[in-house]
Each structure stands twice: as C-alpha cells, then as structure tokens.
C-alpha cells in the first residue's frame, strides 16, 4: 500500500483555470461463497491500461464509464482483507479542488489507517480538462470545471459503489464518504443524494450554501472546520482566499449551519458544547444509531488537521487533532 506524492501545478500552467483550482488543493457479516469466488478470480487479472474495465485491481488507477465520461479511481485494499470471507467497511476519500487521488492519499494518510484498522479505502477522482490533475467536483456552487459543466458526480459515485461492491468484499451497511474543501462539499452532496447508501459523511474545511434539500434518509455526519480558514470561512460569507472565483460566488453558510442541517435531518436535539484551548466540539443529542458532531479547530486554516499540506502554497495543517483518526473513530461506530 503505497503513498503517492501530491501533484503541483507548474508555473507554466498558471493560467486562469489552474489558478482558480489551486485554491482548493487545499473513511461483519460473512461474504457469501458465491461472491468470494468471482472476487478471487477477478483479482487474478489486473488492469494496466487506461481502458474502461471492471477488473478488481487494488493499488492502481482504475476506470469506469459514466454519462459518457471515463472516470477514474484508486483502490487501497489491504491484502489480508481479500483473502478472507468477511465484508468490510468502505471509505471514499474525495480530493480537494485541483487535486487528484494521489494528493488526497498523501494529504490524509487514510491508506495507512485502512491497513491498521481493516477497511478498504478508495480515492475517486473528479473531472477536468486534464486527465489526472487539476480535477474538481460538482458540489452545486463549487467548483471549477465540474461545476461549470454540471458533471453528475453523485451519479458517478453511485455507479462506483456498485462496482466496488461487485469487485471487493464491501459491506453495504458501512459505506462512508469524506473529503476536503471541494471534496468535503461533495461529501455533503453525497449524503443528500445517496442517503440510501451512505452511512456517514465527514466533510473537512467544507460548507453548505443553504439551498440544499433535506435528504430522504438520515445520515450521520462529523464536520471539521478551521477557525483560521480564509478560503472557506467558518463564520460563513463569500468565498475567500486568493482564487475565490473557483466558486460561483454563492456565500457559504457558517460551519454551525452544516451541523444543524444534519441534526435536523436526523431528528436530533440541541448540541452539547465542549471547548478547550485548541478546539470547540459540538455533539448533538440524536436518536440511537445516529450522530452529528462539529469540530472547530482554533489553529487550523484551509488544511487537513494532522495531515500533510495539500500544496506548496497551502496552509500548514494544525497538529491539535488528527482528522483521519477522529473521522475513523466516528465512522466505525456507524452502521445501517
């Protein structure tokens, strides 16, 4: 299970699109024998081409076609999980705007967490003018290419989940989505549009915009925002940072509005607030089997707390908490 270094735009590519996107570089039951057999057979063949394929090939970029577009993703599945007969959790990690799978993997450290804890982690990739870099997600009001072209990213992720369940021992009751910035906004959208499939979400330094519809089914959510974030201000308002034009200009809602949105969707009560010198945590009183939490990290900007910097120009992550540890500790308590 390797880690790929994050991509960086070269100065020669710093045209308007690149500049705008750079601002957003910024996680059982037994597996039936009938399913285990095809899985093991599929693992004997591993795709090495850029063609559309359904072959299960952990560790390399794979492809599927959705809405006429060739989409890509990277699977990190600990080998020992593929030898047994248990279905295991699936964590989808969505890169920030302008990033890709390698960027998300290096920044979050979720591959190592998957190895330690025994789950499959998948890094889907957004779309863009280039095949493997400067990629974005259509989260409604953000960002870049995907937003402007109204790419159906929720549909892509829905099809990807089908593919992963077919190719790997994924437990359909434990499917989680997290992401940073534009990827965190997309995590919100997945929770809304795929509430029948996604068990819990964990948007990091992300936001809602106030025009989202209530999801048909409750989804547990943990949100982590930086109180020094100039790109996605935790108090809400217009997009900030040097390249705010990656959004459509819609003002962000305050971070607490994100939490209240999911609390309302889950019929949760008022939150219990705990504050230390470094972090503010709000945990809502939810019915059994649901949970909503908000972390406001006082010394974190637009970065993945406890992780790696997304780019050379990116904010330095706080070390107050490790977002990957916090998110997985939350995810593993949630099931359908």
């Amino acid at each position: 299970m390797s880690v790929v270094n994050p991509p960086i735009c070269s100065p020669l590519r710093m045209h308007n699109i690149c500049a705008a996107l750079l601002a957003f570089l910024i996680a059982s039951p037994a597996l039936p024998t009938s399913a285990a057999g095809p899985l093991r057979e599929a693992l004997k063949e591993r795709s090495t081409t850029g063609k559309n394929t359904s072959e299960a090939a952990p560790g390399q970029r794979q492809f599927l076609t959705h809405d006429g577009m060739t989409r890509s993703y990277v699977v990190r599945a600990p080998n020992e999980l593929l030898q047994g007969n248990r279905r295991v959790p699936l964590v989808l990690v969505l890169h920030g705007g302008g990033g890709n799978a390698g960027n998300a993997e290096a920044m979050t450290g979720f591959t190592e967490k998957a190895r330690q804890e025994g789950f499959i982690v998948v890094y889907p990739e957004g779309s863009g003018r280039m095949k493997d870099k400067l990629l974005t997600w259509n989260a409604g009001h953000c960002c870049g290419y995907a937003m402007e072209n109204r790419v159906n990213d929720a549909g892509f992720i829905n099809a990807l989940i089908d593919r992963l369940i077919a190719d790997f021992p994924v437990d359909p009751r434990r499917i989680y989505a997290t992401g940073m910035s534009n990827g965190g906004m997309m995590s919100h959208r997945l929770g809304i549009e795929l509430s029948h499939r996604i068990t819990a979400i964990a948007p990091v330094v992300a936001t809602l915009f106030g025009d989202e519809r209530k999801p048909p089914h409750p989804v547990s959510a943990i949100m982590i925002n930086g109180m020094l974030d100039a790109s996605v201000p935790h108090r809400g308002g217009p997009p900030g940072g040097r390249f705010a034009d990656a959004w459509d200009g819609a003002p962000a809602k305050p971070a607490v509005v994100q939490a209240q949105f999911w609390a309302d969707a889950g019929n949760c009560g008022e939150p219990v607030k705990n504050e230390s010198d470094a972090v503010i945590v709000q945990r809502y009183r939810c019915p059994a089997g649901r949970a909503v939490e908000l972390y406001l990290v006082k010394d974190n900007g637009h970065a993945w707390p406890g992780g790696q910097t997304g780019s050379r120009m990116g904010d330095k992550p706080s070390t107050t908490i490790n977002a990957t540890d916090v998110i997985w500790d939350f995810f593993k308590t949630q099931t359908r």
Side-chain angles (χ1 to χ4, degrees):
M1 296 172 61
S2 61
V3 174
V4 183
N5 290 327
I8 302 296
C9 274
S10 70
L12 294 176
R13 292 173 177 160
M14 290 298 292
H15 48 74
N16 290 340
I17 298 297
C18 179
L21 296 180
L22 269 172
F24 294 91
L25 275 170
I26 355 234
S28 86
L31 176 65
T33 302
S34 59
L39 169 66
R40 294 188 182 108
E41 288 303 311
L43 286 171
K44 294 178 181 178
E45 299 179 357
R46 301 201 172 190
S47 171
T48 58
T49 72
K51 297 179 181 179
N52 183 36
T53 177
S54 62
E55 296 168 349
Q60 64 186 40
R61 182 175 274 110
Q62 298 178 67
F63 304 87
L64 66 79
T65 298
H66 180 265
D67 273 0
M69 297 175 64
T70 299
R71 305 301 301 265
S72 52
Y73 59 100
V74 172
V75 179
R76 299 300 190 201
N79 290 334
E80 57 270 23
L81 298 184
L82 306 179
Q83 308 304 318
N85 293 318
R86 292 185 307 113
R87 291 196 180 272
V88 298
L90 167 66
V91 177
L92 302 168
V93 180
L94 281 61
H95 60 76
N100 62 10
N103 171 258
E105 184 175 36
M107 187 166 50
T108 65
F110 252 109
T111 295
E112 178 60 20
K113 178 58 67 172
R115 187 193 66 77
Q116 294 171 356
E117 298 287 337
F119 61 88
I120 294 171
V121 60
V122 175
Y123 302 93
E125 295 189 308
S127 59
R129 290 173 174 81
M130 289 180 272
K131 292 182 179 180
D132 59 358
K133 61 187 67 176
L134 297 178
L135 307 176
T136 61
W137 302 101
N138 178 16
H141 297 285
C142 180
C143 292
Y145 178 93
M147 176 192 70
E148 293 163 4
N149 290 275
R150 299 183 179 181
V151 177
N152 183 7
D153 282 319
F156 160 53
I157 297 298
N158 193 44
L160 176 59
I161 291 172
D162 288 339
R163 168 71 59 79
L164 295 169
I165 290 174
D167 285 351
F168 296 95
V170 170
D171 183 353
R173 303 177 308 167
R174 294 183 289 170
I175 298 176
Y176 313 106
T178 184
M180 176 179 164
S181 189
N182 180 208
M185 298 174 199
M186 191 65 213
S187 298
H188 277 303
R189 189 163 196 172
L190 294 179
I192 294 168
E193 297 192 20
L194 303 182
S195 64
H196 61 297
R197 308 199 79 174
I198 301 294
T199 304
I201 61 169
V204 177
V205 294
T207 189
L208 289 174
F209 297 94
D211 57 356
E212 294 83 5
R213 64 179 177 85
K214 182 178 179 180
H217 307 281
V219 174
S220 293
I222 180 170
M223 290 135 286
I224 301 174
N225 285 82
M227 296 181 72
L228 301 180
D229 192 343
S231 297
V232 183
H234 82 282
R235 291 189 176 90
R242 292 169 45 200
F243 306 109
D245 55 348
W247 298 13
D248 66 2
K253 290 295 182 181
V256 292
V257 172
Q258 299 177 84
Q260 193 62 53
F261 175 86
W262 291 107
D264 290 344
N267 295 315
C268 301
E270 292 298 312
V272 175
K273 181 177 177 180
N274 293 290
E275 182 171 357
S276 69
D277 291 339
V279 63
I280 301 171
V281 181
Q282 290 189 181
R283 293 185 173 91
Y284 287 75
R285 296 181 176 93
C286 296
R290 303 173 193 169
V292 175
E293 299 181 3
L294 172 65
Y295 281 67
L296 296 175
V297 185
K298 295 181 180 180
D299 63 347
N300 194 69
H302 200 66
W304 187 276
Q308 300 296 316
T309 303
S311 75
R312 292 175 183 174
M313 295 182 293
D315 291 349
K316 183 178 180 180
S318 167
T319 58
T320 297
I321 65 169
N322 183 301
T324 299
D325 291 344
V326 171
I327 289 167
W328 176 245
D329 286 345
F330 180 84
F331 279 170
K332 69 184 180 182
T333 67
Q334 302 301 309
T335 189
R336 288 194 178 279

